[in-house]
Every structure is written in C-alpha cells, then in structure tokens.
Amino acid sequence: MTSSPRNPSTSGPPGHSTPRSGTASCTAAARPTTREASWPPCRRAAGWRPHRMRRAGGQCGACCCDVRCAEPSRRGHCDAPQAVEAVLRGGGGLRALNVKVLIEGEEEVLSPHLEDFLAAHASLLAADFALSADGGQVGEGRPSLTLGYRGAAGIEVQVGALARDVHSGMYGGAVQNPVRALAQLLGSMFNADGSVAVRGFYDRVRPITQADRDDILAYNYDEDEELKGGVGAVEAYGEEGFSSLERLWLRPTLEIVGFKGGHTGEGMKTIVPATAVAKLAARLVADQRPGEVVALLEAHIAAHHPPACNVTVRELGFAANPYSLDRASPVLATAAEVLREVLGAAPVHDRCGATIPALAAFQTLLGIDTVPFAFALPGDGPHAPDERVKLSMFHKGREAYVRLLHRLDGWGESGPGGPAEDRSEL
Amino acid sequence: MTSSPRNPSTSGPPGHSTPRSGTASCTAAARPTTREASWPPCRRAAGWRPHRMRRAGGQCGACCCDVRCAEPSRRGHCDAPQAVEAVLRGGGGLRALNVKVLIEGEEEVLSPHLEDFLAAHASLLAADFALSADGGQVGEGRPSLTLGYRGAAGIEVQVGALARDVHSGMYGGAVQNPVRALAQLLGSMFNADGSVAVRGFYDRVRPITQADRDDILAYNYDEDEELKGGVGAVEAYGEEGFSSLERLWLRPTLEIVGFKGGHTGEGMKTIVPATAVAKLAARLVADQRPGEVVALLEAHIAAHHPPACNVTVRELGFAANPYSLDRASPVLATAAEVLREVLGAAPVHDRCGATIPALAAFQTLLGIDTVPFAFALPGDGPHAPDERVKLSMFHKGREAYVRLLHRLDGWGESGPGGPAEDRSEL
C-alpha cells in the first residue's frame, strides 16, 4: 500500500494487530520493518519452513502460502517488501513518497476479518492508491496489468426426505429420492445454452465494451493450449455467445463444486438415500454483490423446491465483492511504463477469473484503487506442493518495484506524469 | 422345491455343486439331508456364527444372511427344511410327494450363478411347482400370499470433462463441469409428475387390473404409518395417478442410488471437479427385462449426452427378471387354506417391491411357478444387525409347512383340491 505525501498519515507501527494479520508502515526516515526478524511470532504449521531460496535450474522452490502464518511465505509477499527495503537502503530512501505496508494472511480463505480491520483503521491506512503483489505476468517477455478480479458467493444445499437410507425395493417409488430431487433442483439452475437460469443472475452484469474486446484481442488467448493442453479439458464449454476469455474475465459463473448422496463405493447398494448435499460457488463480476446473488439462489430454490423433501440452504462464508480497476488510473499508466522498461514490451490489460477480496475492500472501505503489480508466471503452480518462482522473474519483479516506487516518488514534486529519476540499484 | 409324483425325477444327491450353492433331494424313503451336519463345508466370515436360538422376550435373534456361506443362516432357510424333516420323521414320511430341496447362497447379490446351474440341471430339478421360504406375512394374525416380486436393472454413469480438478476462478465458465453435466443428465430422466422420462420405460408394463385393485383394497395399507412413521418420509411421493401400493407393487421405478463428485467435505473448495459418478437402480415389473431397460437408459443418455464431456455407462451385474404368479395356481389356493388354518384368517394377496431372482429363473428355465410361503414379520429387520424371528411365528411357520406338505401329498391320490389328511405333529 503506497501513499503519496499529499495524503500523509500517521507513521510508526499501528497499535492493533490480530493473530492473522500484521501491518507495518514506514517513512523515508524510519527504519524499514519488512525484515524477517521484525515479524511477529506466528503459529507455524508442522513441516512448514520459512521461504528459502533453493536454486534448481534457475528457479526457486517456494513453500506454499500458509494461511495460519503471517510469515511472508509466498513469493509475491516477499519481493514487494524487499523492493521497498532495497529502495530505502540503496538510494537513501524515497524523497516524497510515504509507504505503508499491509500484510494479511487470510487471502486464501477470502479475508473474513479484513473488512473489520480496514474499517477500524481507515484513517491510519488512508492512501492515494495501493499496489498488490498478488498475481502475475502472462510471460517473462509478455507483461500484463490486471484490471479486475471476479468476486465470490457460495452456498451449501442439503436435501432430506427420509429418516434413514431405505431399501429401494421396499420403498422405491413411494417416497422422494433426495439425490434425484437435488439433481433436478441443480439442473433447473442452468439453461441448455450453458447460461445460468437463476432469475436476475445477470441483471447487474456490465455489458462487454469495445475496450474489453480490444484487451481480449491483444491478449491473443490460445484456447486449445490453455484448456485442452493445460488442464485436459475435453473441449471449451460455457455460456453461448461469449468467447472463453469473455466467460472467464467478464461473465459470472455458477459452479457445482461438489455433490454427494447415497452409495458411491464399489458395486451396488439398493437403497433410496436419506439425504443429499451439494456445494455451489459463484464467481461474480462488477457490479454483482455476493449477498444479492445468494438471495437470488435462495429465491430460485424456493420457487423450484422439490416435493416431499426438506431443503436447507447454508452460507459458507465464501463471499467477496468483485474488483474492477479504472483504466484511467494514472498509476496504471506509470506501472505500464515500468513493465515495458523491465520486461521489454508494452503490457496488455487482462483480468483474472479468481478472487482477491482485499482489492474490493480497499476500494469500498478506503476509497482507493489497487494496481496489481506482480510477477508470478503461469507455470509457477500457485498453491501446488511444488510451487516455484523463476529467479529471473524474482529479480525483475524487485527491479520493477524499485523503478515504480522511484517513478511514483517523482509525483511528489511534479504530480502524475511528471519527470522521474531512475535510481534503481538492482 | 416340491415335486408331485406325477412328475417323478431322479432322486439322490446331484453330482454337481458350486462353492456357493448346495442342493439336496430326498424321497419319502431316503434319510433327509437337511440337518446341519450334512451341510458341505463353507467359508465362514470372521465373526459369523451359525444360526442359534437365543430367546429374548419370545423372539429369536438370528444372524444375518452371509452370502459367502451356504449355511442356513436366515430363518426362512431353516423352517422349511426343518418342516420337511419333521414330516418325514414324525409321521412316517410323505406317501406320494417327491420333495427336492435347493438351497442357494447368492440371493442377496442377485443370484449371478443360479441360471447357469438351473440350465445345467433342468431335468434333475424338474417339478410341478416350487415353494420359497423367503418372504413373510403382513402380521401374525394377517396372513398373505405374495403374487409377485419386482425385477432389477442397474448401471453406473461416469462423466469426465477434465484431466484433474481445476481452480473455479481460473477455469470456471470456460470448461464443462461434470457434476453439473451429470445432474442435468439425471434430471432429464424424470418428469415433473414423478414419472420416468426415459423413452419406452413403461412400454412393457402391464395395466393395473381390477383384481390388482381389489388386492390393494383388501390389504388396507396405512400410508402414513408405513412411510412417515415407518421410515420417516417427509410424505408419500411418486408417479402421479397411482397410489403408494400401486407404485410399490405394480409400477417400475428408477432410483439414483448414489451420486458423487467434487469436494463434499467441510467448507468450500473452489474447484471445477474433473469427474462425477452416479449409480442407478431400476425395479422392474412384468413383463420388463433388465437388458432392455439398460438399453433404454443407454439410448436416453446418448440422446441427452451433455456437451464437452465424456460419458461412460457401466453395467453393475445388478439384473434380474420380475416375477409374477398366476392367481389360478392350485398350489396358491391350497397354501391359502393352510394359512387360514394356522394364522386364523383368510390371506390377502400382496406383492413385494423387492427382488428374488430365483423365482423368475424357475419360471423361465424350469417352467414352474413358485408360491412364496414364508413367515417373517415386518418388524423382523431383515439384513439388519439385530435381525430377529418371533418364536411363535417360527413355530407357526413349521406347522404351516407340515400341513401344506401333507395337503399336497394328498394330491397324489385325489389331485388338487381333493381331500387331505392333517397329520401335523407340531
């Protein structure tokens, strides 16, 4: 989180911390607090070790993000603070840029405590804009700046029709089968054209603009390579009338994440199951809101309630607003210049189908936009046991952060777009 | 299996046995072979013990049927042979009735080897009619004779769309979700009125006759007690236009026995699952055939094949023809007389929604009808760990078998309906 001196705020460590999040802020004069030794003690899961560089063919193995630990265990969480530190140490610090660093350890579980934290410390965290180190680039020579992330909403639907599983011969045909009832209920949520049949689901969705289409064209998405080659999809599939990137970037989805009911082991067990359960996860786009979407799903379920059974809907704490960044943001243009310098090409604008709740929370509660400025590559396997970092990208990421901070530092004298001095030492 | 002397057949033990089935036949002159000591060795599952009488409040705890063991471990398998033995020992044997006993240990797994065995030994097993000890009575003072059992057909449907589970944010919306595809496919198999939507599914089903309706009226089924009280059903539910007993006795069903796909544990896992699987079990009525029904299901799946995924159908060896007994059978009338004498009321005719494959196999391969003559009560908990036998019904069952065998023995002199001497010693 970066703040220009035109909107100064209190410096020094905040008086508040939760077990799962830590904040640190510094000015040009203050000693940076981003070194590992300064991190508060954390509960470290058995077998997890702090981030260590282990070189293997120009790559660095990085342990996965441990959400129980505020330690900077993912690479994006390292290069940005280290870059700030490098700027402050190497070049005598920033002249006119007040930098605040907020590290939050619950991103993988949709940041359930972040909004309360932001609301409680809004003035302390006030800033003109924010940078996020979570995300990545299309390729080492193909820079990109991400304009948006989808939001999230999720529910669990449980259907019960019997006190216990019963013999399909003795009772089959005379009682409701909850697995059938749930399959029919879920089936009613989708149209034959691949769209979601829940009334009102698309009401808030923004139309796709020419600028969006230009972004997609520039991105040059290879559907076969990404879907068939990448994850072994039988073929691309989705809402008719939209391309794959339109579906992933600009359209909401409703996925059945899981379904379970009855006997699913080997062979046959001739029962009518007593219960069935499914989990649904929606990915939302601007200007959808998770609470509204859950209400639409509940209304659909009420209107399509199967006979002779009880249906229970439960929210799963899976809720986040979508995030969309204004293309006119001057920080975006400055970030694009830096990426062009460091990665050797002008960046394209992309979007991400996944969710980073912090960005929408900053926008809503603090009134500031975030530019995702991150350097993971598609093959880095985020969340996988063998997650990795390409060392050249790690160094380029740090260089880019140093350049960007210096460029933004120049704003303090001449405003956005004014001259900036490159004082990168990396 | 009982054979009148008008159709004599070879006596003595058959030359063939399989590890899972044993046969024994006897004439009036031969020593009966139904005592426990005469059973062939069998593989007994750990913890299983032979049937022992353990009195508790006038009931006898009976161990469940162990399908790997030919031992007479279920009560119905005991009282009929013991009754035969009692007749032969107590009264000097039968005068003109040739009795063959066939015990088969695979009934609970739909008798996969029985048809081959019957075909190979058809002449040895030739008889005028058969009696089956599998089944029961409506109540101790409410006798019944069962006119039919439903058949069975089963398949497993697997849907795959991806090489592995993928991130619902990164891919959701651009690839098929196999759980959704399977839910839609299964949903397409049912109509809103509760009937099965698979084309041709009801083509072979016999219309319900006035005699069937009279049986149902006489049975005096208490839907609330049986369904809500008995198994905790929210309410009765099934094919519109039919009563619960019509649905259970005379209409085929298609049940989704189980469905599994994706994350079904606690909380949310934001994936698009790679695969989903469901098991389907149909209960068939005369004159449906399992092979034909499987072909109809396969045709439906082919016609409703969801896009962008692979669908695999696998048969599960769950196949049996339905069985229906002619009301005009003279054995049925004789059995009714005996039940009236022993249980104190004229029996009603009922049907069973479950499946006993042997009865249809006897009818098809040996050309003989079977009268189910059995004495379990509804509360005996067949297959449950605490399965039980009411001792008074055990004794009444043996008495009824003795009376029936003597009554049928009389046919040898005067034909069906002729005078019979009651020589019950029990």
Side-chain angles (χ1 to χ4, degrees), chain B residues 89-347:
Chain B
R89 289 183 158 208
L94 297 166
R95 289 178 301 190
L97 193 67
N98 185 24
V99 178
K100 302 174 181 180
V101 178
L102 186 146
I103 296 189
E104 185 253 348
E106 293 187 323
E107 191 272 330
E108 295 300 343
V109 291
L110 290 188
S111 305
H113 299 92
L114 181 63
E115 290 200 357
D116 286 348
F117 185 84
L118 297 184
H121 302 280
S123 63
L124 182 67
L125 296 165
D128 289 330
F129 55 84
L131 300 172
S132 162
D134 196 358
Q137 298 295 318
V138 184
E140 192 160 2
R142 286 196 65 201
S144 60
L145 284 164
T146 303
L147 292 184
Y149 290 85
R150 291 195 287 193
I155 57 170
E156 183 180 274
V157 186
Q158 185 142 12
V159 177
L162 298 157
R164 61 178 188 273
D165 294 353
V166 298
H167 194 294
S168 72
M170 309 298 282
Y171 297 97
V175 295
Q176 178 60 284
N177 178 322
V179 179
R180 175 171 74 169
L182 184 54
Q184 288 181 295
L185 177 60
L186 296 177
S188 74
M189 293 182 177
F190 302 95
N191 295 310
D193 66 0
S195 63
V196 175
V198 174
R199 185 188 297 269
F201 188 72
Y202 297 104
D203 282 1
R204 288 261 224 166
V205 177
R206 295 181 188 174
I208 295 174
T209 65
Q210 189 55 50
D212 295 327
R213 293 200 182 89
D214 293 343
D215 288 344
I216 287 172
L217 199 65
Y219 192 86
N220 197 23
Y221 186 72
D222 187 330
E223 189 177 270
D224 276 357
E225 184 184 326
E226 297 289 338
L227 301 181
K228 293 186 185 177
V231 295
V234 170
E235 58 185 316
Y237 175 73
E239 212 186 342
E240 274 179 26
F242 297 93
S243 69
S244 284
L245 276 197
E246 287 172 340
R247 292 164 179 166
L248 287 169
W249 290 359
L250 298 156
R251 301 294 293 176
T253 61
L254 181 61
E255 296 294 344
I256 309 175
V257 167
F259 188 131
K260 187 177 185 183
H263 173 68
T264 55
E266 274 303 297
M268 179 62 84
K269 193 173 175 185
T270 52
I271 53 168
V272 180
T275 60
V277 65
K279 291 173 195 285
L280 298 171
R283 295 284 179 175
L284 313 180
V285 295
D287 299 297
Q288 292 181 302
R289 290 291 170 265
E292 288 178 8
V293 169
V294 167
L296 294 174
L297 291 170
E298 287 173 334
H300 180 97
I301 290 166
H304 295 77
H305 193 300
C309 59
N310 297 317
V311 179
T312 311
V313 177
R314 194 159 69 96
E315 285 194 63
L316 292 175
F318 180 71
N321 289 326
Y323 174 69
S324 192
L325 174 61
D326 189 343
R327 294 166 192 274
S329 162
V331 189
L332 195 66
T334 306
E337 284 170 30
V338 171
L339 286 181
R340 187 174 46 73
E341 292 165 11
V342 175
L343 298 183

Side-chain angles (χ1 to χ4, degrees), chain A residues 249-311:
Chain A
W249 290 0
L250 298 156
R251 302 294 293 176
T253 62
L254 180 62
E255 296 294 345
I256 309 176
V257 167
F259 188 131
K260 186 177 186 182
H263 173 68
T264 54
E266 273 304 296
M268 179 62 84
K269 192 173 175 185
T270 53
I271 53 168
V272 180
T275 59
V277 64
K279 292 172 194 285
L280 297 171
R283 295 284 179 175
L284 313 180
V285 295
D287 299 298
Q288 292 181 302
R289 291 291 170 264
E292 288 178 7
V293 168
V294 167
L296 294 174
L297 291 171
E298 287 173 333
H300 180 96
I301 291 166
H304 295 76
H305 193 300
C309 60
N310 298 315
V311 179

Side-chain angles (χ1 to χ4, degrees), chain A residues 89-373:
Chain A
R89 288 184 159 209
L94 298 166
R95 289 177 304 187
L97 193 68
N98 185 22
V99 177
K100 302 175 181 180
V101 178
L102 185 145
I103 296 190
E104 186 254 347
E106 292 187 324
E107 192 271 328
E108 295 299 344
V109 291
L110 289 188
S111 306
H113 299 92
L114 182 63
E115 290 199 357
D116 286 348
F117 184 84
L118 296 184
H121 301 282
S123 63
L124 181 67
L125 297 165
D128 288 330
F129 55 84
L131 300 173
S132 163
D134 196 357
Q137 299 293 318
V138 185
E140 193 159 2
R142 287 195 64 199
S144 60
L145 284 164
T146 303
L147 292 184
Y149 290 84
R150 290 195 288 193
I155 58 171
E156 182 180 276
V157 185
Q158 184 142 13
V159 177
L162 298 158
R164 61 179 188 273
D165 295 353
V166 298
H167 194 294
S168 72
M170 309 298 281
Y171 297 98
V175 295
Q176 178 60 284
N177 179 322
V179 178
R180 175 172 73 171
L182 184 54
Q184 287 181 295
L185 177 60
L186 296 177
S188 75
M189 293 181 176
F190 302 95
N191 296 310
D193 66 359
S195 63
V196 175
V198 174
R199 185 188 296 270
F201 188 73
Y202 297 105
D203 283 0
R204 288 261 221 166
V205 177
R206 296 180 188 175
I208 295 174
T209 66
Q210 188 55 49
D212 295 327
R213 292 199 181 89
D214 292 344
D215 287 344
I216 287 171
L217 200 64
Y219 192 86
N220 197 25
Y221 187 72
D222 187 331
E223 190 177 87
D224 276 356
E225 184 184 325
E226 297 287 340
L227 301 182
K228 293 186 186 178
V231 294
V234 170
E235 58 184 316
Y237 175 73
E239 214 186 341
E240 276 180 26
F242 297 94
S243 68
S244 284
L245 276 196
E246 286 172 339
R247 292 165 179 166
L248 288 168
W249 290 0
L250 298 156
R251 302 294 293 176
T253 62
L254 180 62
E255 296 294 345
I256 309 176
V257 167
F259 188 131
K260 186 177 186 182
H263 173 68
T264 54
E266 273 304 296
M268 179 62 84
K269 192 173 175 185
T270 53
I271 53 168
V272 180
T275 59
V277 64
K279 292 172 194 285
L280 297 171
R283 295 284 179 175
L284 313 180
V285 295
D287 299 298
Q288 292 181 302
R289 291 291 170 264
E292 288 178 7
V293 168
V294 167
L296 294 174
L297 291 171
E298 287 173 333
H300 180 96
I301 291 166
H304 295 76
H305 193 300
C309 60
N310 298 315
V311 179
T312 311
V313 176
R314 195 161 68 95
E315 286 194 62
L316 292 175
F318 181 72
N321 289 326
Y323 174 70
S324 191
L325 174 61
D326 189 343
R327 294 166 191 275
S329 161
V331 189
L332 195 66
T334 306
E337 286 172 27
V338 171
L339 285 181
R340 187 174 47 71
E341 290 166 12
V342 176
L343 297 183
V348 293
H349 289 157
D350 61 2
R351 290 174 186 271
C352 180
T355 306
I356 302 181
L359 310 193
F362 292 165
Q363 202 170 48
T364 307
L365 295 170
L366 305 179
I368 55 178
D369 285 343
T370 303
V371 173
F373 199 66

